[in-house]
Amino acid sequence: MSRRRTLGPKKTIALLVGAAAVVGGGAFAMANTSSAAQSPKALSAGDSTVCLGLATAIGNNQAFIAGQRANPDAQSAARIANREAVIAQIQVQQKASGCTVGESAQGSQPAQTAPAQTAPAQTAPAGNAGAAGNTGNAGNAGNTGNAGNAGNAGGGAAAGQQVCNGSTVTLSGEGGAPAASSNQFPSGTKLKVTNLDNNKSTTVTVTSVSGSCVLLNNAAFEQVREPGKFLIRRAVIQKVG
């Protein structure tokens, strides 16, 4: 007669534990594969207003750098290094927000140059001959060729006048006290920026040049921003001094 071989209790338990380990390892590997497949895709500027604001900030800084390289002066190297550091910081914010790191967009209104042949000369009133000296700056106005569009008057705007109609406003990524940079207003100009979406406003002084009508630094942008947003689509910009 043949004898049937049976396993003892200890061997049976060992085999069961080994089988469980194999099954568990396979399940772990499948879980890891599934998790990797479901990793969230980085958002682009078209998917999120946060990503659009950050991409616009990078684009404005890149435009400023390009301008400095095209027309360098004694301070250009320092300015470029500063803006490159700003871009690196914005890229950190992009990663933290789930945005595509390094994505760039130009979302602010570009500088508007008036055609030389359409810029009208301004004649000083007879009783105010001293004002005639200002007519030489007519060409610096943001859009002097279209006198009916006062909102785009740029640096030639009067105090209290609304400027840069249609411009979006974003942040430069720079630190320090509340301030702004601009490609239309000289340093020392005071601008009031109002966010129509929350009715918050801030008055800042232009301290440097940028690639847009007005670019707020971090402290100034915090005074008017909506939580989680890095772009103001509906803004009113006024020259106040």
Side-chain angles (χ1 to χ4, degrees), residues 63-212:
F64 175 81
I65 290 173
Q68 289 294 307
R69 286 174 174 162
N71 299 287
D73 58 29
Q75 300 299 319
S76 290
R79 295 191 192 107
I80 289 172
N82 175 264
R83 292 306 176 97
E84 287 176 340
V86 168
I87 290 174
Q89 182 58 41
I90 296 173
Q91 289 175 341
V92 172
Q93 295 176 358
Q94 284 179 319
K95 182 176 181 180
S97 301
C99 305
T100 301
V101 176
E103 184 177 18
S104 172
Q106 280 292 109
S108 297
Q109 177 177 309
Q112 300 178 359
T113 305
Q117 64 272 23
T118 61
Q122 298 179 3
T123 304
N128 188 11
N134 292 330
T135 59
N137 291 326
N140 292 330
N143 192 8
T144 53
N146 186 1
N149 191 358
N152 289 327
Q161 184 174 338
Q162 184 174 334
V163 296
C164 304
N165 283 348
S167 289
T168 57
V169 177
T170 187
L171 77 167
S172 65
E174 295 179 302
S181 54
S182 173
N183 64 356
Q184 295 193 28
F185 300 97
S187 295
T189 303
K190 289 187 179 295
L191 300 174
K192 180 179 180 181
V193 178
T194 302
N195 184 349
L196 296 179
D197 290 327
N198 58 13
N199 292 319
K200 292 183 178 181
S201 62
T202 182
T203 299
V204 292
T205 300
V206 174
T207 58
S208 61
V209 180
S210 69
S212 60

